Amino acid sequence: MSTGTSDQITTAITIPIEDPLKAKVNQMSDENFLSNTATDRIDIKRVRYPHCLVWTPIPVLTWLFPFIGHMGIARTDGVIRDFAGPYYVSEDNMAFGLPTRYLQLDLNRISMLGSSTNIRTVWDKAVEQASDEYKKRMHNLCCDNCHSHVAMALNTMGYDRKQTYNMVSLTFWMFFCGKFVNFAGFLRSWIPFLILVGIVVTITVVTKLQT
């Protein structure tokens, strides 16, 4: 009878331990991308629309074509910048009156971060770069207008991983997705058009009844 010696094999398991300092840094970096609900709150009375696209009707033009109006873009502090005329980009004084519609965008969908980790800085820088560029441009109602100014800002920051925004896409985006600031904003946007439609319908009906 033989006596065997069994070898004991010990397997070492290494459990990775995360560096607390590194984890804290990563957490702080991630927080830069999160919206602050306190500072992002829309204040209609003070005309503050943080990181929003804003829209207001243009007399006569919007009455005939309700999807056409004047557009601006607000910084993260809510101050509106809009291409208001030749070589002029207004600040906190929107052309054609106060906004009647707005579309608040998600800061977390900005893709062109560059060297900055602060998402608000990226948004504001893109808005100001577009504004500085349009201060050098002639206003053209059909080709290079307020919508083009907003489109340049969105393309510069790469919002939603796109750089193809233009006046047409922004027009219909606001028309179908924009929210009215209040009921008065709804009336300002639609009443003139509805009155004109009513007049045309009335004239048409009366004319047919007389024939």
Side-chain angles (χ1 to χ4, degrees), residues 86-98:
Y87 313 109
Y88 177 65
V89 179
S90 69
E91 180 173 352
D92 203 19
N93 185 25
M94 193 173 183
F96 304 105
L98 300 176

Side-chain angles (χ1 to χ4, degrees), residues 23-147:
K24 182 64 175 177
V25 171
N26 289 337
Q27 181 182 359
M28 294 174 61
S29 178
D30 291 340
E31 286 173 353
N32 289 329
F33 293 86
L34 300 178
S35 299
N36 187 326
T37 54
T39 58
D40 292 344
R41 193 169 299 152
I42 291 170
D43 190 335
I44 297 174
K45 291 183 178 180
R46 295 179 57 243
V47 196
R48 291 292 179 267
Y49 295 83
H51 50 91
C52 286
L53 309 186
V54 291
W55 184 94
T56 194
I58 300 174
V60 181
L61 190 58
T62 307
W63 301 351
L64 299 173
F65 309 100
F67 55 88
I68 296 177
H70 181 65
M71 181 176 284
I73 184 170
R75 299 191 304 249
T76 56
D77 61 1
V79 174
I80 299 170
R81 304 301 308 273
D82 63 295
F83 186 34
Y87 313 109
Y88 177 65
V89 179
S90 69
E91 180 173 352
D92 203 19
N93 185 25
M94 193 173 183
F96 304 105
L98 300 176
T100 61
R101 303 185 78 172
Y102 69 93
L103 188 61
Q104 190 169 43
L105 303 188
D106 185 357
L107 294 177
N108 297 303
R109 298 174 74 173
I110 295 175
S111 62
M112 303 291 286
L113 299 178
S115 58
S116 177
T117 58
N118 190 318
I119 208 72
R120 296 176 183 277
T121 300
V122 176
W123 175 281
D124 289 339
K125 185 177 180 180
V127 172
E128 293 305 324
Q129 284 181 347
S131 299
D132 290 342
E133 174 61 29
Y134 270 82
K135 288 177 182 177
K136 308 171 187 175
R137 297 195 183 190
M138 182 69 183
H139 191 282
N140 186 312
L141 184 62
C142 298
C143 302
D144 202 16
N145 52 35
C146 55
H147 290 66

Side-chain angles (χ1 to χ4, degrees), residues 123-194:
W123 175 281
D124 289 339
K125 185 177 180 180
V127 172
E128 293 305 324
Q129 284 181 347
S131 299
D132 290 342
E133 174 61 29
Y134 270 82
K135 288 177 182 177
K136 308 171 187 175
R137 297 195 183 190
M138 182 69 183
H139 191 282
N140 186 312
L141 184 62
C142 298
C143 302
D144 202 16
N145 52 35
C146 55
H147 290 66
S148 307
H149 163 243
V150 175
M152 175 175 282
L154 294 177
N155 290 332
T156 299
M157 68 180 76
Y159 185 78
D160 204 18
R161 299 185 180 278
K162 297 177 183 177
Q163 291 181 294
T164 56
Y165 294 98
N166 55 58
M167 56 184 291
V168 176
S169 62
L170 293 183
T171 294
F172 289 102
W173 191 14
M174 178 62 74
F175 186 74
F176 289 110
C177 301
K179 299 179 180 179
F180 291 101
V181 298
N182 48 34
F183 186 64
F186 171 81
L187 294 178
R188 254 186 76 199
S189 301
W190 282 103
I191 283 295
F193 172 75
L194 295 177

